Amino acid sequence: MRIVITGASGNVGTALLHTLTAAGGHELVGIVRRPPPPEGVYQHVDWQSLDLAALTATAELERLFEGADAVVHLAWGFQPTHNIDYLRQLALGGTKAVLDAAHHCGVGQLVHMSSVGTYAAGRYCHRVDESWSTAGIPTSPYSRHKSAAEAMLDRYERQHGDNAVPIARARPGFIVQRAAASGLMRYSLPAYVPMRLVPLLPLLPLDHSLCIPLIHADDVADGLARMIERRAVGPFNLAAEPPVNRDDVAHALHARAVHLPSSALGRLVDLSWRLRLQPVDRGWLDMAFSVPLLDCTRARTELQWKPTWSSTEALADVLDGIAARAHTDSAPLRRRSAVDLLRRSISDGLISSRREP
């Protein structure tokens, strides 16, 4: 099969490349802003450089999608959180460009990476199936954009009916893996905090009500591959068991949990973000304390999908990666020292403001 993947060098993209190359027999095209060196898993891909937020993205994608059996749309922006206009253009403009190009070329299938963040609040700590409202969490830009992207797909399917490109939607919980540790920390830690300090935290000040769905990137990749193999359509929840709570995180960190109400923590996160002391906006915290858990019955029955990592194993894997400064050679996941990050913050601006993390 000829499979085109946007965001193919990121967290999920790298895991998907491992899965698809292990299966063999596929022609893989990766669309990213900054192609990785042709080494390791990245050497088996035809890399194409393209910013999906560019005005010319649709025309470029039409050229790249020609003859594709499947398109997997993973590209998304987590930073810069202080430039919402760019994140919106990348998320919604990029999704529209992918959708328009896929329709124009008549690709065999579009697999869209959605998220638990697309779901509305109202069932925290309770499982929902794919019929739950996808209105999102209003205070989270990430959630709003995921919700709006799914609404765009809904409109497309209504408009084109039987002539629409078949669309599958993956709605995973929070995705982690060892190899993405450096990238995840770069997006979430201020440049002046070395990532190796995270596993050494003696205290974990966090609300005791935390209860979130977590999943390893390998299991997300397996779900995506099964969607392609079976030409699946519609939404699929993907999450591991058990749900992760505050004490699970504290145990994995070997830290003592201290109750800090989410409202108080939210004010601290918001203030420090507004002062540009750290790069994570309050919306991520609101989402963590609002999104429901995921009922994955549909993925189990229709895709015969089952996670191979428990949520606690996935959490331990990424924390081990943080301690070891694990990374890959792709631009989103490569390792950078605290000195490098500080130097770049001075020369190019903070990660929460510049367009290239």
Side-chain angles (χ1 to χ4, degrees):
M1 296 178 68
R2 185 171 191 269
I3 303 173
V4 184
I5 308 167
T6 71
S9 64
N11 182 10
V12 177
T14 296
L16 181 59
L17 293 181
H18 280 290
T19 298
L20 294 177
T21 54
H26 299 304
E27 176 190 351
L28 303 177
V29 180
I31 300 175
V32 295
R33 288 186 300 182
R34 294 163 291 173
E39 301 171 0
V41 73
Y42 301 123
Q43 68 183 304
H44 307 292
V45 182
D46 175 14
W47 291 103
Q48 301 290 328
S49 177
L50 177 64
D51 185 346
L52 293 187
L55 296 177
T56 59
T58 303
E60 290 295 316
L61 289 172
E62 288 177 0
R63 177 179 62 84
L64 298 173
F65 287 180
E66 198 64 46
D69 297 291
V71 170
V72 184
H73 179 38
L74 304 177
W76 206 265
F78 300 95
Q79 292 291 350
T81 52
H82 281 286
N83 189 347
I84 299 300
D85 289 341
Y86 174 71
L87 290 180
R88 182 186 302 109
Q89 178 59 28
L90 177 58
L92 303 184
T95 297
K96 186 177 188 304
V98 167
L99 187 58
D100 289 348
H103 182 78
H104 176 83
C105 295
V107 304
Q109 181 193 31
L110 172 61
V111 179
H112 173 76
M113 176 55 71
S114 189
S115 166
V116 65
T118 196
Y119 285 125
R123 293 285 291 170
Y124 193 63
C125 289
H126 296 276
R127 286 172 175 78
V128 302
D129 65 17
E130 290 83 357
S131 66
W132 187 251
S133 168
T134 55
I137 307 300
T139 57
S140 167
Y142 172 86
S143 179
R144 292 199 307 269
H145 296 161
K146 285 294 186 184
S147 174
E150 288 231 23
M152 184 186 301
L153 301 182
D154 292 339
R155 290 192 298 271
Y156 167 79
E157 290 175 327
R158 287 195 301 268
Q159 178 182 354
H160 293 281
D162 292 340
N163 295 319
V165 172
I167 301 175
R169 314 181 193 195
R171 295 175 181 167
F174 297 97
I175 305 168
V176 296
Q177 64 168 319
R178 187 181 194 276
S182 292
L184 293 173
M185 289 296 95
R186 187 168 62 256
Y187 289 143
S188 55
L189 281 182
Y192 54 82
V193 177
M195 62 184 286
R196 283 179 173 172
L197 292 181
V198 173
L200 302 178
L201 289 174
L203 300 175
L204 179 67
L206 197 59
D207 196 305
H208 56 60
S209 68
L210 181 73
C211 184
I212 60 172
L214 196 76
I215 185 168
H216 197 280
D218 288 349
D219 289 322
V220 177
D222 179 55
L224 295 174
R226 289 169 185 267
M227 292 176 203
I228 297 169
E229 178 186 344
R230 289 163 171 76
R231 294 292 190 188
V233 296
F236 294 89
N237 289 343
L238 301 173
E241 295 293 337
V244 170
N245 59 40
R246 182 203 61 178
D247 291 342
D248 292 328
V249 179
H251 177 76
L253 287 169
H254 306 288
R256 184 165 70 89
V258 178
H259 176 62
L260 179 61
S262 60
S263 58
L265 181 58
R267 288 192 290 271
L268 290 173
V269 169
D270 187 53
L271 177 61
S272 58
W273 176 76
R274 290 179 185 277
L275 293 174
R276 287 172 163 74
L277 298 177
Q278 57 85 22
V280 178
D281 65 78
R282 180 173 180 166
W284 282 96
L285 189 71
D286 291 344
M287 193 167 61
F289 285 96
S290 300
V291 293
L293 301 178
L294 300 176
D295 179 341
C296 301
T297 301
R298 185 167 191 247
R300 288 198 304 271
T301 56
E302 295 191 21
L303 303 178
Q304 284 73 58
W305 174 85
K306 182 180 179 181
T308 57
W309 294 76
S310 72
S311 59
T312 50
E313 289 170 341
L315 179 62
D317 189 53
V318 71
L319 289 176
D320 179 68
I322 291 170
R325 299 175 66 205
H327 64 102
T328 76
D329 291 327
S330 76
L333 304 185
R334 71 171 178 256
R335 182 168 59 195
R336 295 176 176 90
S337 69
V339 173
D340 291 336
L341 292 173
L342 281 170
R343 185 185 300 117
R344 180 125 190 250
S345 295
I346 294 171
S347 63
D348 300 338
L350 297 173
I351 193 171
S352 61
S353 301
R354 64 179 185 254
R355 283 175 60 148
E356 290 191 355

